[in-house]
Amino acid sequence: MSGAASSTGIYLLHDCTIVRAGLRAILSGQPGLQVSASAQWPAADEDCVVIADYASVMQAARLRERRTRLMVFTSLRKECQVLRAMEAGVLGYLVQECAADDVLAGVRAAAQGNRYLCAAAKQGVLNSLGRQQLTPREEEVLHVLARGCPDKTIARELGIGLGTVKTHMKQLMHKLDAACRTQVVLAAFERGLLAA
């Protein structure tokens, strides 16, 4: 992106036209920021900030060769969604109802290579601290359980013993702070471990 050497290039590539217009209104005219009208992703070697929807940013984050600093602007706020984005190297996470000041602070932080989470995203990460993560096998058991399957069906589908399923179920109840199978599934939905 052309412009003064001290300007940070900002690309607004969110999939929603109204969101792009709102972000442009917040960021245009801010000192040190140059908002691009382009609807195309910047070149892989361009040092800039891209703000986009969750799916687009996560796809771009998988292309590790980019110098682009990525920011998510989304309605998704579940702790696992925020954590996945952070683990993928996303620098900024903004939930859509955040304040304009959050957008500016997030862009300026990302431009410096620093992370920024709005309050709602930060709360999700804080909620996850100290929680035990599910093992891959526990996640498999959870997904079959969420379909309403009994232990015998889970055992058959996953090729494991019934006793092993019961052990995984106890661990799921413990890790998700649930007293029964239904609560396990509800807690998993609340934390974003299962898609709605």
Side-chain angles (χ1 to χ4, degrees):
M1 182 180 287
S2 62
S6 61
S7 289
T8 299
I10 310 296
Y11 285 78
L12 306 177
L13 300 177
H14 199 281
D15 63 354
C16 176
T17 306
I18 293 172
V19 169
R20 285 196 310 271
L23 291 170
R24 181 178 305 283
I26 292 168
L27 297 170
S28 291
Q30 291 294 326
L33 302 181
Q34 186 179 357
V35 181
S36 172
S38 173
Q40 300 294 321
W41 278 84
D45 63 346
E46 186 169 344
D47 191 3
C48 60
V49 175
V50 169
I51 307 174
D53 53 282
Y54 189 89
S56 297
V57 168
M58 292 302 283
Q59 183 176 356
R62 288 189 272 275
L63 305 174
R64 292 289 188 168
E65 71 276 6
R66 285 191 172 276
R67 290 184 63 203
T68 308
R69 295 179 173 114
L70 300 172
M71 292 189 68
V72 171
F73 190 83
T74 183
S75 61
L76 304 175
R77 63 173 64 227
K78 293 184 178 174
E79 63 191 59
C80 75
Q81 294 161 329
V82 177
L83 290 171
R84 280 186 197 127
M86 294 294 105
E87 288 166 3
V90 172
L91 288 179
Y93 201 103
L94 302 172
V95 175
Q96 284 182 355
E97 56 271 17
C98 71
D101 287 346
D102 276 315
V103 175
L104 286 168
V107 166
R108 295 201 186 284
Q112 297 297 316
N114 298 321
R115 292 193 179 220
Y116 186 89
L117 301 172
C118 70
K122 196 177 295 180
Q123 190 59 51
V125 172
L126 291 174
N127 288 344
S128 71
L129 296 177
R131 286 187 181 154
Q132 291 179 299
Q133 300 300 309
L134 301 186
T135 66
R137 180 60 91 181
E138 288 166 352
E139 289 180 4
E140 290 174 346
V141 170
L142 176 63
H143 281 88
V144 180
L145 172 67
R147 297 192 339 245
C149 297
D151 288 355
K152 287 183 181 178
T153 303
I154 295 170
R156 186 172 55 252
E157 283 197 25
L158 299 180
I160 57 178
L162 189 56
T164 304
V165 172
K166 291 180 187 296
T167 299
H168 287 312
M169 203 62 67
K170 285 180 185 175
Q171 284 300 310
L172 285 169
M173 288 181 188
H174 171 71
K175 290 180 178 181
L176 297 174
D177 194 26
C180 66
R181 298 161 65 93
T182 302
Q183 287 181 3
V184 165
V185 174
L186 290 174
F189 274 117
E190 286 174 7
R191 295 187 192 175
L193 299 171
L194 292 169

